Amino acid sequence: MTIKVGDKLPAATFSAGTAEGPKPMTTDEIFAGKKVALFAVPGAFTPTCSARHLPGFKDHAADFKAKGVDAIACVSVNDAFVMKAWGESQSVLGDILMLGDGNGDFTKALGLEMDGSKFGMGLRSQRYSMIVEDGVVKELNVEAPGEFKVSAADYMLAQL
């Protein structure tokens, strides 16, 4: 079953890369009492994700804050080390919370997984974005395969 607007996010634990190593972060820590712009990508360092998706949120970070967003979070079925390295390479650490969903548990619980086996990537996340308030999905934008439109930062800003 795919998550939908009005649903509460499932409980999950992500892994965030820090100077001290991977740090577990729960959905409650990230979303409770906050408005969060969350977006998910099929993979760190992949072409669309690196050239357009993540940079769009970096470029508009101040705009999200001005519209009442407490945090911007990026999720990918990658480990914390990869997410930290990707965040460093894109100069987004501090503006965007880079969350590793290493085993895809959160992604599967949302019903938003995809099979990237034909690209040698295994289980991955579909490309999507959502606005979450206090753990409840207020907006959900799932891309059609191969598309990059409704999960973009400017699209989300128009929803706020």
Side-chain angles (χ1 to χ4, degrees):
M1 181 174 114
T2 303
I3 196 157
K4 59 189 180 309
V5 171
D7 288 351
K8 183 165 176 50
L9 290 179
T13 301
F14 301 97
S15 187
T18 70
E20 296 78 37
K23 175 188 173 195
M25 295 188 76
T26 67
T27 46
D28 283 345
E29 289 175 276
I30 298 163
F31 300 102
K34 299 175 192 157
K35 181 187 279 189
V36 179
L38 172 73
F39 68 103
V41 299
F45 293 103
T46 56
T48 301
C49 305
S50 292
R52 297 175 61 203
H53 210 169
L54 184 57
F57 282 89
K58 176 187 174 188
D59 293 346
H60 290 292
D63 300 326
F64 277 97
K65 300 280 185 200
K67 290 197 175 231
V69 170
D70 298 301
I72 301 170
C74 175
V75 174
S76 185
V77 180
N78 288 114
D79 61 64
F81 300 104
V82 168
M83 293 301 285
K84 180 176 183 257
W86 190 35
E88 288 171 343
S89 77
Q90 295 276 326
S91 301
V92 300
L93 298 181
D95 291 323
I96 299 174
L97 186 57
M98 303 297 284
L99 302 172
D101 182 23
N103 295 325
D105 295 337
F106 178 72
T107 299
K108 287 184 263 187
L110 293 178
L112 291 171
E113 70 273 13
M114 66 168 230
D115 183 359
S117 296
K118 70 180 180 178
F119 305 108
M121 297 170 68
L123 171 89
R124 293 296 174 129
S125 175
Q126 293 181 50
R127 186 182 304 281
Y128 68 87
S129 66
M130 62 174 70
I131 296 167
V132 181
E133 291 183 26
D134 195 24
V136 176
V137 179
K138 297 298 183 182
E139 300 284 348
L140 176 62
N141 312 299
V142 181
E143 296 286 2
E147 293 290 322
F148 175 64
K149 296 175 187 168
V150 300
S151 65
D154 55 351
Y155 189 93
M156 282 188 74
L157 277 169
Q159 293 178 310
L160 292 168

